[in-house]
Amino acid sequence: MSTALSNEARLLVLCARPVLDAPAAKSLQHLLAETLDWPAVLEAAEQHYIVPLLARHLLRIDAALIPEAARQQLRELQRKNAMVSLQWVGMQQLLVERIFVPRGIDHAFFKGAALAQTYYGDPAQRQYRDIDVLVAAERIAEAGQALIDLGFAVSNADWPDFGLRDLRAFCRYHSALELRSPQGAQVELHKTLDSTGCIFSSAEMLRDANVAADSRYPWRALSPADLLVYVCYHHARHRWSSLHWCADLEALSGHPSVDLEVVRRKAAALALAVTLEQSLRLRDDLRALAINGTSPAPSSLFLVDCRAALEGSLGAEAPTSPPPTAGVQSEPDFSYDWQFSTRYRRRFARLRWQPSVNDVNAWPLPNSLHWLYYLTRPWRIAWQRLHEIISGRQT
């Protein structure tokens, strides 16, 4: 993979931010004077969920610098996104007004429109595909049932195979309850922000959640420090493979409400300090690549994967082998070996002894008897391993 970004990639990276400062605006002007593959740019912007940001910056530019066909297509994409965003806003209002507030259910939105309205300045400026909300674990089944009563359907992939057709039992063994509205909108009710509950304390994050003072809509959201740490964790889990995640990093880390020292203390307490610092370095690397064509050394450990995804969306050849920093994802929360801490490994080891949905499906029991799974789980796992050994010898 080459050391420089293509002009198309530089353009996309420059526009993947809520605000252009003077150096970025100057670089954008220079890039627009070059010959660009506009169909590739617009297609990649859709793939990376940055159409509204691209429109925000480019449609203010002198029309002579952008082909009319590209301007028209960008306007059309912008209109479509605005219409979709209005539907998402209405869905979040429904959740607040008909589910959470009437029932007094503790909750906090994260990502999506709640992030966009505070840190992007407009709920329509960040594209997203679903609504994510952290909900007090003991209330998720109640909220889920209320949505089902409104016509929603459980959309978790393993719900049809769940041994007990009991929503409370299902929520007990899953980190999130996924539901789809009659119109096709996806809502995810999370009891933890990570897959296992080994990293974040949901109780603490709900306690610190609030409605931003300048919010257009009264949506409770994660505190600024919690949100930035979570964003760095979540987007790193997906290898920073989409530019709308890089835009989140720009939007949050530069926002007046975000104190990076508070963020660093929070990340250190969660054993995510290195993940945070490598994410901030990625922000600086991408900015340098977009403006100057080169990044400072040493570069972020996330940069290889992020660039591979960007260049792949533009038709460039991706690396043929995994980057040296990538590890085997033996646990569901991290994608890189260097992210694992002793704290996490210890907590994950304890988690292995807790009952899972596999125990329920192996021996469906009423909710009142689920404590028996703590006794039967070691025997079930031992029998499964023995069966695997015997089957392996026979083959």
Side-chain angles (χ1 to χ4, degrees):
M1 188 164 53
S2 63
T3 57
L5 290 178
S6 66
N7 287 337
E8 290 79 10
R10 290 178 65 190
L11 174 69
L12 290 167
V13 172
L14 279 174
C15 291
R17 66 197 68 239
V19 179
L20 291 177
D21 60 15
K26 182 178 180 180
S27 294
L28 182 60
Q29 290 280 352
H30 287 315
L31 284 172
L32 292 175
E34 302 290 335
T35 301
L36 296 168
D37 185 344
W38 283 102
V41 167
L42 295 176
E43 182 179 351
E46 288 190 86
Q47 290 182 36
H48 288 272
Y49 292 89
I50 60 166
V51 165
L53 292 174
L54 194 69
R56 182 177 191 167
H57 300 309
L58 294 188
L59 294 182
R60 299 173 180 174
I61 297 287
D62 183 354
L65 293 174
I66 302 172
E68 184 58 26
R71 289 183 72 88
Q72 290 296 338
Q73 185 179 352
L74 185 55
R75 286 195 187 98
E76 181 60 26
L77 292 172
Q78 183 186 37
R79 282 193 290 268
K80 289 180 180 178
N81 177 71
M83 293 174 63
V84 171
S85 295
L86 285 174
Q87 295 173 357
W88 285 120
V89 168
M91 181 60 66
Q92 289 203 191
Q93 287 290 77
L94 179 147
L95 291 171
V96 171
E97 295 174 359
R98 299 190 62 179
I99 307 297
F100 299 136
V101 171
R103 292 169 172 79
I105 296 176
D106 203 4
H107 67 283
F109 290 97
F110 58 100
K111 298 192 294 184
L115 186 158
Q117 76 164 354
T118 301
Y119 302 98
Y120 286 72
D122 187 335
Q125 285 298 301
R126 186 190 189 273
Q127 288 181 266
Y128 49 98
R129 293 173 290 184
D130 52 29
I131 293 176
D132 295 283
V133 53
L134 181 66
V135 179
E138 67 277 9
R139 307 294 297 277
I140 284 184
E142 177 187 346
Q145 186 59 56
L147 288 171
I148 291 171
D149 293 341
L150 293 177
F152 284 67
V154 177
S155 57
N156 292 72
D158 57 341
W159 170 251
D161 301 320
F162 186 58
L164 292 172
R165 305 302 290 179
D166 183 311
L167 195 63
R168 286 189 304 139
F170 187 80
C171 292
R172 182 179 298 171
Y173 300 105
H174 289 77
S175 61
L177 176 64
E178 303 168 10
L179 303 111
R180 191 171 297 278
S181 76
Q183 296 76 31
Q186 181 82 359
V187 174
E188 296 187 2
L189 308 179
H190 297 255
K191 68 179 180 184
T192 180
L193 293 181
D194 53 87
S195 298
T196 62
C198 294
I199 302 174
F200 297 99
S201 167
S202 297
E204 291 180 7
M205 301 189 98
L206 286 171
R207 181 198 63 202
D208 296 337
N210 54 62
V211 177
D214 57 349
S215 292
R216 183 181 307 178
Y217 303 98
W219 294 332
R220 281 177 55 82
L222 298 180
S223 72
D226 285 339
L227 184 57
L228 180 50
V229 173
Y230 166 76
V231 159
C232 292
Y233 153 76
H234 175 268
H235 300 350
R237 183 179 172 220
H238 294 283
R239 297 175 180 264
W240 292 97
S241 57
S242 181
L243 285 180
H244 77 301
W245 292 333
C246 300
D248 287 345
L249 188 57
E250 284 281 354
L252 278 158
S253 63
H255 196 267
S257 67
V258 176
D259 184 333
L260 284 180
E261 290 310 309
V262 173
V263 174
R264 286 187 167 98
R265 289 196 295 271
K266 173 75 68 171
L270 297 172
L272 292 172
V274 180
T275 296
L276 171 68
E277 295 304 329
Q278 290 299 321
S279 299
L280 295 175
R281 183 175 290 179
L282 174 66
R283 174 201 60 186
D284 298 338
D285 287 341
L286 290 173
R287 176 180 171 82
L289 281 168
I291 293 178
N292 306 317
T294 59
S295 62
S299 60
S300 168
L301 296 175
F302 296 130
L303 184 60
V304 170
D305 285 342
C306 182
R307 286 188 57 190
L310 172 58
E311 292 170 355
S313 67
L314 288 165
E317 184 177 354
T320 56
S321 60
T325 57
V328 178
Q329 191 173 346
S330 57
E331 287 86 358
D333 286 315
F334 297 113
S335 290
Y336 300 86
D337 283 343
W338 53 265
Q339 289 183 287
F340 292 102
S341 65
T342 301
R343 172 184 184 270
Y344 178 86
R345 293 185 186 279
R346 184 170 58 248
R347 291 189 172 191
F348 189 80
R350 288 201 299 267
L351 183 70
R352 294 181 186 275
W353 294 99
Q354 295 183 15
S356 72
V357 69
N358 295 325
D359 297 288
V360 178
N361 287 332
W363 188 22
L365 291 172
N367 271 313
S368 60
L369 297 179
H370 281 201
W371 60 271
L372 288 172
Y373 292 137
Y374 285 94
L375 304 177
T376 62
R377 180 175 174 79
W379 296 102
R380 183 186 66 78
I381 293 176
W383 173 252
Q384 180 181 346
R385 296 284 173 83
L386 179 61
H387 180 72
E388 290 172 355
I389 292 171
I390 294 173
S391 298
R393 288 177 178 175
Q394 290 177 346
T395 58

